[in-house]
Amino acid sequence: MIEKVKKEQEGQSTPAPEPWQEDKKRTSSNEDKKRWTQIATAIRPDRIGTAPGTPALSIFTCSSCGSVSSTDAQQRARTDYVTAPSNLSVTARGRCRRSRTGARSSTGRICSAGEARDCRDRAAAGASDDAVSCAVLLEILGSLSSTSVPLKHAVIFLFNGAEENILQGSHGFITQHQWAKLVRAFINLEAAGVGGKELVFQTGPENPWLVQAYSAAAVHPFASVVAQEIFQSGIIPSDTDFRIYRDFGNIPGIDLAFIENGYIYHTKYDTADRIHTDSIQRAGDNILGVLKYLASSPLLADSSEFRHGNLIFFDVSGLFVVSYPARIGTIINYVIAAVTLFYLSKKTIKYRRAGTNYARDLMIGLSINVTSWISALVTVLILSVLVSLTGNALSWYTHFYVAVGLYGTAAVAKIILTHTMAKIFYFTNTSKQYLGDLFFDVSLLSWGIPMMLLTQKGLCSAYFFAMWVIFPFVTKLLAEQESVHQGSSYRYLAVYLIGLFYPYMHTTYHVWALFEMFTPIFGRSGTEIPPDVVMASFLVICTVLLMTCFVNFVYLVKSTKTIMLSLAVLSGMTFILVCSGAFFPYSANMDSPKPKRIFLQHTTRNFHNLNGDLVKRDSGIWINGFDYNGITHITPHIPEINDTVRAPCHEGPFCGFPWYFPVNSLIRLVFV
């Protein structure tokens, strides 16, 4: 059963009919579909084989509106404030003029009431957030309407707006619409980028059968419990309708989002021609498969008995999804820890009989390892602070290789230097073979400790560190077989590399997703968070993950001078180029634009006291730069901005600025 949810903004007071009572209507033409401007209004139950009277148990949603964040976006706002002493409550009211010419989407207007944004042609077109998802759902709707295979459960397609205004559209549906009581699960289609793979970054809460449904039915899976726990930690400045359905409807679901090319997300460059058809096809294949699976699943009718428990899940290079209960993962982690501890204990006893205190050396090696991490982090943080102080932040925003050359190479060089110094000054008369074995065991201990800490906290991401313990451990056992170990050193190295292939591939896969998502976010993360400091920290973490199992080779080779010198020179040259301004952060290349985000808003403010008397009135152009560089790159081209003054913080909500969200603490460079 596929139904259209009527928009409450249209002022229709007639109660919505039950899903199985509405007559069949077809309102979308070919031209409308191409422009993504119409949604199907209703389809009779017999069209897809659902029996009349069957409640709608599954909801598939897309939010049709995205907020403007482009340099051309202008807003004319009038805001009235009531000022009061700091110990009294403060209220605010505001009104904004809507554009008279709006881009169209599948809900009729891409600029929904309450978004307070100018929707002229130069503003955000909203192709990725969320017109493409609406288009995908329209195609799925058409596919289901023509199938002869009956579905066990009805399906509601919800095209809601007002998502950017603190999720008002979804809140209105789930709390007021009578169909909401029939929903048992949902899939929410989101976007944090323009095209690419759609990532499953939230599921549940609990209800592991939803992940199992995705695992079984998604044709091109892209899912990670690591992404889920990172997003739910709150470090990503974003929110979705998922929270509304979960918190206000107590409904489990799946949250998917496009994550690639977030540089033009919510800008005027977010147009349909920039979204590859392969991305749309991929999303359609996945969502249609999951939809059919859920709509035919016997679990959906009464999922309460299957709701408890969490799943560890991740895809293997987009081929298939590995998933297993978190309690099984906990058992596996404890077994891995026990086996590793037994292995290290046996080795300690062996060396003790030979007169060597292996346990002491193991702890010293672990200390050296942690020291190398800390020294690498301190080094790159110093570099990032110097870059920020010279006014060259975000030099890698368009050229990501700059961040690798500046911070990545410095981190690698410092880790190698630390271990080389330990080899020369502390382990002077120790055999290379002993040190190689010792620091391999140190790597097992280095990942075994966080594995157990995350397991104790109940985090599913502990599997990631378990993988870095079990694969190297098994590889070492295979490589130490006499037939291999006594042969060619190249043969030993080949076995070692083959054994570490999967954890490296899996880690690199996540590292790519990390930078693909976070690098564009730095262009809209506010002026208070130094992006170079965060980027440098990310690169150190990734370097540590990828290097730890190869640190033992520092103790096996004769010299590391050449590689350290090469890395140091590369990092130093990159630092000089960055500080000289050789890398401009933004790009006007129309094939791959990376624009700077600026808010220019014509604002009139009226300040009132508690008696309602007008205390102050002012007006001006409210200027906000949405990245750490503020407006420093704009002032040379618009000299008039140099005559502006920084707006003071007045008593009142959000310092007297007409913010719609409490983000004033993230923006320090505010001018009027």
Side-chain angles (χ1 to χ4, degrees):
M1 174 70 64
I2 304 172
E3 297 290 346
K4 171 198 168 191
V5 177
K6 296 183 178 180
K7 296 185 297 178
E8 295 181 5
Q9 292 92 333
E10 295 178 357
Q12 299 180 2
S13 59
T14 305
E18 295 293 336
W20 54 86
Q21 293 175 340
E22 200 167 308
D23 292 332
K24 176 179 67 175
K25 301 175 185 177
R26 300 291 294 193
T27 60
S28 57
S29 64
N30 291 334
E31 181 180 355
D32 290 329
K33 276 192 175 184
K34 290 180 181 178
R35 296 174 59 195
W36 302 338
T37 61
Q38 298 291 332
I39 61 173
T41 57
I43 298 179
R44 288 175 58 100
D46 53 282
R47 288 296 304 273
I48 56 174
T50 307
T54 304
L57 298 176
S58 181
I59 177 173
F60 294 79
T61 75
C62 73
S63 303
S64 61
C65 297
S67 65
V68 168
S69 289
S70 72
T71 56
D72 296 313
Q74 295 186 11
Q75 175 191 67
R76 293 170 174 83
R78 176 190 174 111
T79 306
D80 296 339
Y81 288 95
V82 178
T83 62
S86 58
N87 61 336
L88 296 178
S89 61
V90 181
T91 61
R93 62 184 185 275
R95 59 181 181 274
C96 300
R97 189 181 74 181
R98 283 191 240 162
S99 171
R100 286 172 291 185
T101 57
R104 308 285 296 177
S105 76
S106 51
T107 57
R109 185 175 297 161
I110 207 167
C111 177
S112 65
E115 281 204 302
R117 43 170 277 196
D118 192 323
C119 292
R120 294 181 177 87
D121 292 341
R122 59 189 178 182
S128 67
D129 191 19
D130 205 16
V132 64
S133 296
C134 295
V136 168
L137 293 191
L138 286 174
E139 292 300 319
I140 293 175
L141 188 151
S143 176
L144 287 181
S145 67
S146 61
T147 183
S148 59
V149 179
L151 302 178
K152 293 182 179 180
H153 309 294
V155 179
I156 295 174
F157 276 54
L158 173 62
F159 297 81
N160 68 274
E163 191 260 357
E164 298 294 342
N165 287 358
I166 320 183
L167 316 172
Q168 295 171 353
S170 57
H171 183 270
F173 173 80
I174 210 66
T175 58
Q176 300 180 35
H177 203 286
Q178 61 184 17
W179 292 357
K181 299 177 181 178
L182 305 172
V183 177
R184 297 294 180 271
F186 69 89
I187 291 181
N188 184 47
L189 307 184
E190 269 290 346
V194 181
K197 298 180 178 181
E198 73 288 349
L199 171 66
V200 174
F201 64 97
Q202 283 193 103
T203 63
E206 296 190 319
N207 289 275
W209 58 275
L210 282 172
V211 176
Q212 292 170 343
Y214 179 84
S215 303
V219 183
H220 314 286
F222 185 35
S224 172
V225 72
V226 176
Q228 172 174 290
E229 294 184 341
I230 289 176
F231 186 86
Q232 293 180 348
S233 69
I235 66 173
I236 298 179
S238 183
D239 200 1
T240 74
D241 288 329
F242 182 98
R243 178 177 62 84
I244 301 298
Y245 302 132
R246 178 195 65 196
D247 295 350
F248 293 91
N250 195 27
I251 303 170
I254 301 175
D255 217 357
L256 302 97
F258 295 103
I259 65 170
E260 294 185 23
N261 196 16
Y263 300 99
I264 59 177
Y265 163 79
H266 283 191
T267 72
K268 68 178 183 180
Y269 303 108
D270 184 9
T271 54
D273 59 295
R274 296 186 184 276
I275 301 177
H276 297 297
T277 55
D278 290 344
S279 297
I280 303 174
Q281 184 66 50
R282 170 196 170 89
D285 291 342
N286 285 341
I287 298 167
L288 180 60
V290 176
L291 187 154
K292 288 184 175 180
Y293 186 96
L294 286 176
S296 303
S297 172
L299 301 179
L300 200 60
D302 184 13
S303 60
S304 58
E305 58 180 303
F306 307 102
R307 68 171 300 173
H308 297 293
N310 291 312
L311 275 185
I312 296 171
F313 61 91
F314 54 90
D315 71 286
V316 179
S317 301
L319 301 176
F320 57 90
V321 175
V322 175
S323 63
Y324 52 93
R327 62 181 183 276
I328 300 299
T330 299
I331 295 173
I332 292 174
N333 293 347
Y334 278 117
V335 170
I336 292 174
V339 171
T340 304
L341 185 61
F342 175 77
Y343 162 79
L344 294 177
S345 300
K346 185 178 178 181
K347 207 165 188 180
T348 300
I349 295 172
K350 173 185 174 182
Y351 278 108
R352 181 181 296 173
R353 291 173 179 172
T356 302
N357 193 340
Y358 191 76
R360 182 199 62 189
D361 290 345
L362 196 63
M363 291 299 102
I364 292 174
L366 181 62
S367 300
I368 294 172
N369 214 27
V370 174
T371 301
S372 70
W373 300 348
I374 296 174
S375 63
L377 179 61
V378 171
T379 299
V380 300
L381 288 181
I382 291 174
L383 289 175
S384 66
V385 170
L386 291 175
V387 168
S388 300
L389 291 176
T390 59
N392 292 286
L394 290 170
S395 58
W396 37 263
Y397 189 67
T398 294
H399 315 284
F400 183 74
Y401 60 84
V402 174
V404 177
L406 177 58
Y407 303 126
T409 55
V412 174
K414 196 57 181 290
I415 290 174
I416 294 177
L417 175 62
T418 303
H419 285 280
T420 301
M421 293 178 66
K423 173 184 175 182
I424 295 174
F425 296 106
Y426 187 81
F427 298 108
T428 306
N429 299 318
T430 309
S431 69
K432 295 180 180 179
Q433 186 62 47
Y434 177 81
L435 292 177
D437 290 342
L438 174 67
F439 278 90
F440 175 85
D441 294 342
V442 166
S443 69
L444 297 182
L445 199 58
S446 299
W447 298 135
I449 292 174
M451 177 190 74
M452 292 310 301
L453 291 176
L454 294 181
T455 302
Q456 288 293 321
K457 288 185 173 293
L459 295 176
C460 296
S461 299
Y463 91 88
F464 200 88
F465 296 101
M467 178 184 63
W468 275 109
V469 175
I470 191 62
F471 274 90
F473 180 70
V474 173
T475 300
K476 182 68 180 299
L477 295 179
L478 293 175
E480 282 189 337
Q481 296 297 319
E482 186 176 357
S483 58
V484 176
H485 196 58
Q486 293 183 358
S488 170
S489 59
Y490 293 105
R491 186 177 180 182
Y492 174 84
L493 182 61
V495 173
Y496 193 81
L497 293 177
I498 292 173
L500 294 181
F501 173 76
Y502 177 73
Y504 266 90
M505 179 189 70
H506 189 71
T507 302
T508 305
Y509 191 60
H510 279 74
V511 168
W512 165 81
L514 173 73
F515 290 114
E516 187 70 39
M517 176 178 290
F518 273 95
T519 303
I521 287 177
F522 290 124
R524 57 182 188 271
S525 59
T527 58
E528 290 296 287
I529 302 173
D532 278 72
V533 171
V534 182
M535 175 60 74
S537 302
F538 280 169
L539 283 168
V540 170
I541 293 172
C542 295
T543 300
V544 167
L545 284 171
L546 296 173
M547 273 198 66
T548 299
C549 285
F550 281 102
V551 162
N552 57 319
F553 285 95
V554 173
Y555 297 89
L556 295 174
V557 299
K558 292 181 179 180
S559 175
T560 57
K561 286 184 180 179
T562 302
I563 187 170
M564 280 195 299
L565 183 61
S566 301
L567 292 171
V569 169
L570 178 58
S571 180
M573 292 180 62
T574 307
F575 177 75
I576 293 173
L577 290 173
V578 167
C579 291
S580 64
F583 302 102
F584 189 69
Y586 316 103
S587 173
N589 181 1
M590 293 307 297
D591 293 331
S592 181
K594 295 177 176 61
K596 178 177 177 59
R597 297 167 187 261
I598 293 286
F599 269 17
L600 301 176
Q601 297 165 294
H602 297 275
T603 305
T604 297
R605 302 185 299 178
N606 294 326
F607 293 84
H608 301 267
N609 59 24
L610 292 178
N611 295 324
D613 301 325
L614 182 65
V615 176
K616 180 182 177 181
R617 175 186 174 91
D618 62 16
S619 64
I621 299 177
W622 190 32
I623 305 173
N624 291 289
F626 267 60
D627 63 45
Y628 190 75
N629 289 324
I631 59 174
T632 55
H633 291 92
I634 306 298
T635 50
H637 305 283
I638 309 177
E640 293 80 3
I641 296 181
N642 294 319
D643 298 328
T644 62
V645 295
R646 182 173 177 179
C649 180
H650 294 283
E651 287 187 357
F654 308 150
C655 285
F657 303 131
W659 292 112
Y660 281 90
F661 311 102
V663 297
N664 58 305
S665 61
L666 298 177
I667 309 295
R668 58 179 164 83
L669 298 178
V670 177
F671 296 91
V672 177

